[in-house]
Amino acid sequence: AHRIAVMDRTNPDIVRAVESTLERKLSSMLQPADMSRVGGLDPLVNIINRSDRSTERQIVDGLESLDAALADEVKSRMFMFEDIVNLDDRSVQQVLRQVDTSQLSLALKGVAPQVRDKITRNLSERAGATLLEEIDLLGPVRLTQVEEAQQAVIRTIRQLEEQGQIMVRRGNDDEFV
């Protein structure tokens, strides 16, 4: 993860070595180039965003031990479940319309009170009370189940963002009006 994030350009000799190996093994040619752009923060963030929660946590923790500034930059570009509190109410409401209630209750199991409050504030009073009751009725739940439910909610958020229906604020984005 660290090497992908800090990689910018590569040596032309290395590109030629890879090219000849691929040519030999795949009988196809790469276009020669003086410098090829590989890696960077965006590909790393995309990789991390597509991985499960425990892998995501391991990668970020590993980056923090190697390069804290780089880890902060990566985290500012990622969307984590707890970042729901940074979404505007209209966006949260759109997400809630797309997410199954049972999945939402599982995703909210054991989260910080501000995350739970953000969600329940954007539901009707009755629906919020029902959701909190459902969370309590779940009893003990495996952490992996909770993380899978959170990832499903995050996937919904990313889909809505890609469709332009909601706007997710990143770490160093400008303010919106």
Side-chain angles (χ1 to χ4, degrees):
H2 183 261
R3 291 193 43 101
I4 291 172
V6 297
M7 192 182 323
D8 186 35
R9 300 196 181 274
T10 190
N11 185 324
D13 296 330
I14 293 172
V15 173
R16 281 189 212 97
V18 170
E19 179 182 32
S20 66
T21 302
L22 286 174
E23 183 177 303
R24 191 175 62 245
K25 290 190 177 207
L26 303 174
S27 301
S28 64
M29 294 184 65
L30 296 174
Q31 296 296 325
D34 292 335
M35 299 291 263
S36 297
R37 181 167 175 78
V38 292
L41 286 175
D42 290 334
L44 175 61
V45 170
N46 285 332
I47 291 169
I48 294 172
N49 282 337
R50 284 175 170 68
S51 59
D52 60 73
R53 187 81 184 261
S54 61
T55 304
E56 176 181 294
R57 196 176 305 122
Q58 286 177 334
I59 292 172
V60 171
D61 290 346
L63 279 175
E64 283 177 340
S65 66
L66 286 172
D67 188 340
L70 178 64
D72 287 342
E73 179 67 22
V74 168
K75 282 194 281 188
S76 76
R77 292 175 181 227
M78 290 173 50
F79 186 89
M80 304 185 65
F81 188 76
E82 293 76 15
D83 293 332
I84 286 176
V85 297
N86 299 326
L87 292 175
D88 63 280
D89 288 345
R90 186 182 131 306
S91 296
V92 172
Q93 292 162 12
Q94 281 188 289
V95 171
L96 293 176
R97 277 185 234 130
Q98 303 288 323
V99 176
D100 181 54
T101 308
S102 61
Q103 191 172 49
L104 182 62
S105 61
L106 194 55
L108 290 173
K109 188 77 175 168
V111 297
Q114 63 264 29
V115 176
R116 190 180 287 194
D117 292 344
K118 179 74 170 188
I119 298 294
T120 55
R121 271 196 326 266
N122 284 287
L123 292 169
S124 68
E125 191 174 321
R126 182 170 164 243
T130 303
L131 179 66
L132 293 174
E133 185 179 316
E134 192 172 327
I135 293 169
D136 290 338
L137 291 174
L138 281 174
V141 179
R142 292 186 185 273
L143 181 61
T144 54
Q145 290 177 296
V146 172
E147 289 175 346
E148 286 172 8
Q150 289 175 348
Q151 285 301 113
V153 173
I154 290 171
R155 276 192 298 277
T156 301
I157 291 169
R158 288 189 188 125
Q159 286 172 349
L160 290 171
E161 181 185 24
E162 286 173 11
Q163 295 168 1
Q165 294 183 30
I166 65 172
M167 207 172 255
V168 176
R169 290 175 151 181
R170 302 293 183 208
N172 49 6
D173 275 355
D174 292 336
E175 290 295 316
F176 295 101
V177 214

